Amino acid sequence: LVWNIFRMECEWKPDEQGLQQILQLLKESQSPDTSTQRSVQQRLEQLNQYPDFNNYLIFVLTKLKSEDEPTRSLSGLILKNNVKAHYQNFPNGVSDFIKSECLQNIGDSSPLIRATVGILITTIASKGELQNWPELLPKLCLLLDSEDYNTCEGAFGALQKICEDSAEILDSDMLDRPLNIMIPKFLQFFKHSSPKIRSHAIACVNQFIISRTQALMLHIDPFIENLFALATDEEPEVRKNVCRALVMLLEVRLDRLLPHMHNIIEYMLQRTQDHDENVALEACEFWLTLAEQPVCKEVLCGHLSQLTPVLVNGMKYSEIDIILLKGDIEEDEAIPDNEQDIRPRFHRSRTVAQQHEGDGIEEEEDEDDELDDDDTISDWNLRKCSAAALDVLANVFRDDLLLHILPLLKELLFHPEWVVKESGILVLGAIAEGCMQGMIPYLPELIPHLVQCLSDKKALVRSITCWTLSRYAHWVVSQPPDTYLKPLMTELLKRILDSNKRVQEAACSAFATLEEEACTELVPYLAFILDTLVFAFSKYQHKNLLILYDAIGTLADSVGHHLNKPLHQSQPDQYEAPDKDFMIVALDLLSGLAEGLGGTIEQLVARSNILTLMYQCMQDKMPEVRQSSFALLGDLTKACFQHVKPCIADFMPILGTNLNPELISVCNNATWAIGEISIQMGPEMQPYIAMVLHQLVEIINRPNTPKTLLENTAITIGRLGYVCPQEVAPMLQQFIRPWCTSLRNIRDNEEKDSAFRGICTMISVNPGGVVQDFIFFCDAVASWVNPKDDLRDMFYKVKPENDC
């Protein structure tokens, strides 16, 4: 293949022989054969050495209309990857040619080619080229007015991707704030005759709601009016984007929605039942967001009788869910796990630090980097969102919700159809935390019924029953052991040995929760428990073996020194896991020992090199290793800080660099460890505040951050403010509102106590920082059931500046 050296000419022309060879390469790359694909990849890497190779790729995408669309699109996607990897090395002539071709072909008659060109444009823009491509945004906005549908739709598709990827820079002085022109322009298209264009227009504007972009806030009323006009649009994608907009507006411009709240709630009730599940899911998010607002109880109380059955109905497995979950396969313990299924599992006590009753739906759903039941349905769906919404609303309305739930539960729990019965058991688990007091009179009847359901013939019923029973474990262990604890423990241990792998996993997780609640109540049954757990080693596939390690680690947490007595010897060495997994399990077990033994672990730490090893693990490339090492650091800080303190100067920079919310559990544990260290360090924490404070404030303000991480971040910010108020208080206004909403639903405990002492201290230093959000502070204070007397006094003394 002879390549032309690129020359600046009016019109670049490909070498015909070279073009044919590239086309042949593109055809071969679509082969399913692995060796062929590997060969193609090597040749593509070689071709990247030639300056005008990328010209050939854009030529195939935009000019070679005789070729089939998949080949043309593939050429564009390869070019997109080259842009991502090597754009800074493209000669000016090449990059200019690509930009020119993209703008000329954004209106290609093929939707696939239009979309590919749009992806290419936004990839170039994301490489910092918005500044170096000044004609891009004006040109795309101009093309919106084209009478040719394809041109208008292609330009809008590209603009939507740019808004998604570059929202922050679009709202900056760097580009002379183009949104001042773009947002009014987008609003004009809300009433376009094409549903695709209407959907693009809403999606573009939606990107700027959460950030409260000034250009949008200036047009907030016409934006909301336009949304209302599209509420019953026949296009599902439009309805979905309308729902998404209203959910975000609820969070940032509640004042504008309040006058219309009754109608909005009625609308969202309809959309939560939309025949299109994607629309229903977006609408269901509304109830989750509304529950976080102080006005929730007031505006929603009159609608509970309508909303409750809608959410309950959404909690049933859909037919596609059952197919994806292989719900018709009851016995699968002999089927080997896929390699991708074998990922680490961690102590929930290490990642769920705040005390909720089992911490709600997260146990059923598993968060981002924890193990999910099945990758095929690990995405957020209507069942999960409905269950989460019922969980948070139960925490808002408490026992008042039972008036509407109990009549439904009676029908669901004893329904002959297993799918309906299963959803009833999920409902019962979802309301456990919020409605616990009101449920107590019914538990003597319900717990034995649920224990019976552990033997149901359907595996999915058995697995959800494990989870729901774990939600009531606190009540079970408060009763005489022989009444409920012993029967429940006996049946859960049977389910640990179930023939279905999903049930095994759910039973191990539920038993770990029961271990945490029962603690030394389990000591009389240790021999029986260990017999079962050891026997499980002979049954389990790799994935559940890791969960079994977790249950054993939690047992060590719970019964402490009682495990030192000779009971049973096992040889699990034959079930080897990868080295990293052993590191993780070892770290988690050490965490359990530190928590179980408390201060008495000090002598063991003093005689070991545990801190040196932990320091190495804190820098491991594998996030799961770092996650467990930070949990151990927090536990050792609580148990024997005298050994940890000399290493703080080495540990704190590492903790600071791991405050990355993209790795949720790593970030969560690092945050928690910082909070524990700050309490021990006191004012000596001052030199390290700058290493972590800005990241923590960013995390607490980040949209869609999981509840667990928000709570731990809020606790840690409060603790930092408690020990170093002068350093933290100046930023009070930047985090006070999300801080208050994050901690309004956790139980009274020592961590909450120290955090609230910190916020009160910071308010005394910077009273102006709380003025705008004082109602949220009052709401958070009202979440306390029984604060200590001196903390109550601190609450009474809080007065914001300019308090009227």
Side-chain angles (χ1 to χ4, degrees):
L1 176 61
V2 179
W3 290 94
N4 293 330
I5 300 301
F6 183 80
R7 298 183 304 274
M8 291 299 297
E9 297 175 355
C10 294
E11 180 70 20
W12 179 87
K13 303 285 186 187
D15 173 78
E16 186 60 32
Q17 183 183 0
L19 179 62
Q20 291 305 315
Q21 292 191 29
I22 285 181
L23 286 173
Q24 180 61 32
L25 194 61
L26 290 171
K27 301 284 188 188
E28 291 176 8
S29 70
Q30 299 174 57
S31 165
D33 181 66
T34 307
S35 60
T36 302
Q37 288 191 356
R38 191 179 299 116
S39 171
V40 167
Q41 189 61 39
Q42 291 172 350
R43 289 159 69 190
L44 285 173
E45 290 173 2
Q46 292 169 359
L47 291 176
N48 270 317
Q49 300 171 19
Y50 296 92
D52 61 351
F53 171 52
N54 292 298
N55 282 9
Y56 281 85
L57 293 176
I58 191 70
F59 184 88
V60 173
L61 173 65
T62 60
K63 299 279 197 206
L64 214 58
K65 301 193 176 182
S66 58
E67 278 299 319
D68 61 89
E69 291 180 7
T71 298
R72 292 173 61 198
S73 176
L74 178 61
S75 181
L77 294 176
I78 292 172
L79 176 55
K80 178 210 72 171
N81 290 335
N82 288 348
V83 168
K84 288 179 73 173
H86 312 296
Y87 189 74
Q88 69 277 7
N89 299 325
F90 282 21
N92 288 338
V94 173
S95 57
D96 289 344
F97 181 60
I98 292 170
K99 289 177 182 178
S100 172
E101 286 299 302
C102 283
L103 287 177
Q104 288 180 40
N105 291 275
I106 192 67
D108 193 280
S109 59
S110 160
L112 177 62
I113 301 304
R114 288 201 303 275
T116 307
V117 171
I119 290 171
L120 188 52
I121 287 174
T122 196
T123 305
I124 295 171
S126 70
K127 300 297 289 185
E129 284 298 296
L130 278 177
Q131 301 96 302
N132 301 325
W133 196 358
E135 68 272 24
L136 173 62
L137 294 176
K139 178 68 172 177
L140 289 176
C141 287
L142 186 65
L143 293 175
L144 295 182
D145 296 320
S146 170
E147 294 183 3
D148 176 62
Y149 167 81
N150 293 335
T151 301
C152 177
E153 195 279 326
F156 241 134
L159 282 167
Q160 180 178 336
K161 294 181 183 75
I162 290 171
C163 291
E164 290 170 357
D165 292 351
S166 307
E168 190 173 338
I169 194 172
L170 288 173
D171 190 31
S172 69
D173 292 327
M174 194 179 300
L175 297 177
D176 293 329
R177 298 195 176 275
L179 293 181
N180 292 334
I181 297 171
M182 292 167 66
I183 284 180
K185 183 85 172 178
F186 294 153
L187 291 175
Q188 295 173 13
F189 288 85
F190 275 41
K191 296 177 182 176
H192 195 276
S193 59
S194 162
K196 182 80 170 175
I197 301 296
R198 295 196 298 272
S199 178
H200 277 316
I202 308 171
C204 285
V205 179
N206 281 359
Q207 297 302 318
F208 307 101
I209 298 175
I210 291 295
S211 60
R212 297 179 174 88
T213 299
Q214 184 181 10
L216 175 56
M217 294 301 111
L218 291 172
H219 297 86
I220 195 68
D221 290 328
F223 174 48
I224 292 173
E225 289 169 15
N226 277 312
L227 288 176
F228 289 165
L230 293 173
T232 55
D233 197 282
E234 77 274 5
E235 172 61 34
E237 194 67 21
V238 173
R239 297 197 302 275
K240 185 182 82 171
N241 283 329
V242 168
C243 290
R244 182 175 294 173
L246 290 172
V247 170
M248 291 188 286
L249 286 168
L250 185 64
E251 186 173 338
V252 301
R253 290 310 302 261
L254 177 61
D255 58 317
R256 286 296 197 269
L257 297 189
L258 271 178
H260 314 283
M261 190 56 74
H262 175 82
N263 290 335
I264 291 173
I265 289 173
E266 291 290 329
Y267 171 69
M268 285 300 190
L269 278 167
Q270 295 176 22
R271 294 284 73 82
T272 308
Q273 303 170 78
D274 200 284
H275 58 82
D276 186 292
E277 184 170 333
N278 292 321
V279 178
L281 176 58
E282 288 295 338
C284 196
E285 295 278 359
F286 180 83
W287 315 114
L288 279 171
T289 304
L290 183 58
E292 298 295 327
Q293 306 301 319
V295 299
C296 176
K297 203 163 188 177
E298 176 188 348
V299 300
L300 196 55
C301 60
H303 302 271
L304 279 183
S305 59
Q306 298 168 272
L307 175 59
T308 304
V310 170
L311 293 178
V312 167
N313 189 57
M315 292 165 71
K316 290 202 296 283
Y317 276 125
S318 67
E319 290 183 8
I320 190 66
D321 284 343
I322 295 170
I323 293 170
L324 293 173
L325 282 167
K326 304 181 180 70
D328 57 331
I329 300 176
E330 298 300 324
E331 297 186 6
D332 63 353
E333 64 176 345
I335 301 174
D337 291 334
N338 294 324
E339 284 298 316
Q340 60 266 32
D341 290 336
I342 308 169
R343 298 184 300 172
R345 180 80 172 188
F346 306 96
H347 289 304
R348 285 159 299 119
S349 57
R350 304 281 73 79
T351 51
V352 182
Q354 303 314 315
Q355 294 178 1
H356 299 260
E357 205 79 319
D359 208 20
I361 300 307
E362 286 84 352
E363 284 308 315
E364 154 82 342
E365 271 61 36
D366 286 329
E367 292 193 358
D368 286 3
D369 44 5
E370 290 185 5
L371 210 59
D372 205 309
D373 278 349
D374 196 297
D375 286 337
T376 52
I377 63 156
S378 61
D379 293 334
W380 192 236
N381 59 25
L382 183 60
R383 167 184 162 90
K384 296 179 179 183
C385 190
S386 300
L390 191 62
D391 183 10
V392 295
L393 290 173
N395 277 287
V396 172
F397 289 95
R398 301 290 176 179
D399 296 346
D400 291 344
L401 189 67
L402 290 180
L403 296 173
H404 311 286
I405 285 285
L406 287 175
L408 299 171
L409 271 178
K410 288 179 182 177
E411 179 183 348
L412 297 174
L413 289 174
F414 300 94
H415 200 280
E417 292 183 33
W418 76 265
V419 174
V420 179
K421 177 181 177 181
E422 192 275 347
S423 70
I425 297 171
L426 174 57
V427 169
L428 190 58
I431 64 171
E433 182 182 336
C435 301
M436 178 60 75
Q437 287 304 311
M439 287 302 300
I440 286 175
Y442 305 98
L443 294 182
E445 179 183 353
L446 283 173
I447 295 300
H449 175 69
L450 289 173
V451 171
Q452 286 183 346
C453 290
L454 286 173
S455 302
D456 194 276
K457 64 180 182 179
K458 294 298 295 185
L460 290 175
V461 173
R462 299 197 300 274
S463 63
I464 196 61
T465 304
C466 291
W467 175 76
T468 293
L469 279 165
S470 74
R471 301 270 281 167
Y472 291 94
H474 183 74
W475 181 84
V476 167
V477 300
S478 69
Q479 306 301 305
D482 287 346
T483 312
Y484 304 107
L485 175 59
K486 188 174 180 180
L488 171 57
M489 182 191 66
T490 303
E491 288 303 314
L492 270 183
L493 288 172
K494 289 180 184 176
R495 297 287 66 81
I496 285 175
L497 302 179
D498 199 276
S499 58
N500 181 276
K501 291 191 286 188
R502 187 180 309 282
V503 179
Q504 293 172 358
E505 178 182 359
C508 275
S509 296
F511 196 76
T513 301
L514 187 65
E515 289 170 338
E516 292 169 347
E517 294 287 353
C519 295
T520 53
E521 294 282 339
L522 296 178
V523 171
Y525 315 106
L526 272 179
F528 181 34
I529 293 169
L530 288 171
D531 280 346
T532 303
L533 297 181
V534 169
F535 184 68
F537 277 111
S538 65
K539 287 176 66 75
Y540 279 17
Q541 300 291 337
H542 291 119
K543 175 182 170 184
N544 283 353
L545 273 179
L546 298 175
I547 301 164
L548 186 60
Y549 291 143
D550 178 69
I552 294 173
T554 306
L555 185 65
D557 282 356
S558 303
V559 301
H561 67 87
H562 295 281
L563 273 183
N564 289 336
K565 300 174 183 176
L567 291 159
H568 196 91
Q569 295 290 325
S570 63
Q571 299 294 329
D573 297 342
Q574 56 185 306
Y575 307 105
E576 286 195 13
D579 289 347
K580 296 284 187 180
D581 291 339
F582 276 124
M583 290 170 64
I584 293 162
V585 171
L587 288 163
D588 288 347
L589 285 172
L590 287 168
S591 286
L593 288 169
E595 193 167 67
L597 297 175
T600 56
I601 200 174
E602 183 272 331
Q603 295 181 358
L604 298 174
V605 173
R607 295 199 301 266
S608 74
N609 63 342
I610 185 173
L611 291 171
T612 302
L613 295 173
M614 183 174 70
Y615 177 70
Q616 294 171 356
C617 292
M618 287 167 63
Q619 300 171 83
D620 196 274
K621 290 181 179 179
M622 188 174 185
E624 293 83 357
V625 175
R626 301 199 303 276
Q627 173 186 337
S628 291
S629 65
F630 296 145
L632 177 58
L633 172 58
D635 284 317
L636 290 177
T637 297
K638 293 169 70 175
C640 54
F641 187 64
Q642 67 268 38
H643 295 301
V644 176
K645 188 174 181 180
C647 306
I648 289 299
D650 294 321
F651 290 166
M652 284 302 301
I654 299 173
L655 290 168
T657 58
N658 278 275
L659 295 177
N660 172 14
E662 297 300 323
L663 297 171
I664 293 171
S665 294
V666 177
C667 183
N668 183 75
N669 287 2
T671 301
W672 175 70
I674 291 167
E676 293 296 336
I677 290 169
S678 66
I679 290 297
Q680 300 290 339
M681 290 283 285
E684 293 178 66
M685 193 69 181
Q686 187 269 334
Y688 307 108
I689 297 292
M691 291 182 186
V692 299
L693 182 58
H694 285 278
Q695 297 99 303
L696 294 171
V697 172
E698 283 183 18
I699 291 167
I700 205 169
N701 282 287
R702 192 171 185 260
N704 302 318
T705 302
K707 181 174 67 171
T708 307
L709 179 54
L710 280 178
E711 289 168 351
N712 274 320
T713 303
I715 292 283
T716 296
I717 290 175
R719 288 177 152 191
L720 291 171
Y722 187 33
V723 298
C724 298
Q726 297 295 336
E727 285 71 24
V728 183
M731 296 188 72
L732 185 60
Q733 189 173 355
Q734 297 181 39
F735 62 76
I736 183 66
R737 179 172 173 176
W739 190 97
C740 292
T741 56
S742 298
L743 296 186
R744 64 192 290 267
N745 287 324
I746 70 169
R747 288 192 205 165
D748 295 5
N749 60 29
E750 288 300 319
E751 293 182 336
K752 183 177 179 181
D753 179 282
S754 58
F756 272 81
R757 289 176 191 274
I759 209 73
C760 291
T761 306
M762 286 186 277
I763 291 172
S764 69
V765 172
N766 178 19
V770 77
V771 171
Q772 292 183 359
D773 298 298
F774 191 62
I775 183 64
F776 289 90
F777 173 76
C778 296
D779 181 59
V781 169
S783 71
W784 277 90
V785 177
N786 188 27
K788 294 178 181 177
D789 291 343
D790 59 334
L791 179 59
R792 184 183 284 110
D793 290 340
M794 294 179 80
F795 291 156
Y796 288 152
K797 292 174 183 175
V798 168
K799 285 191 177 181
E801 194 174 26
N802 303 325
D803 183 27
C804 58

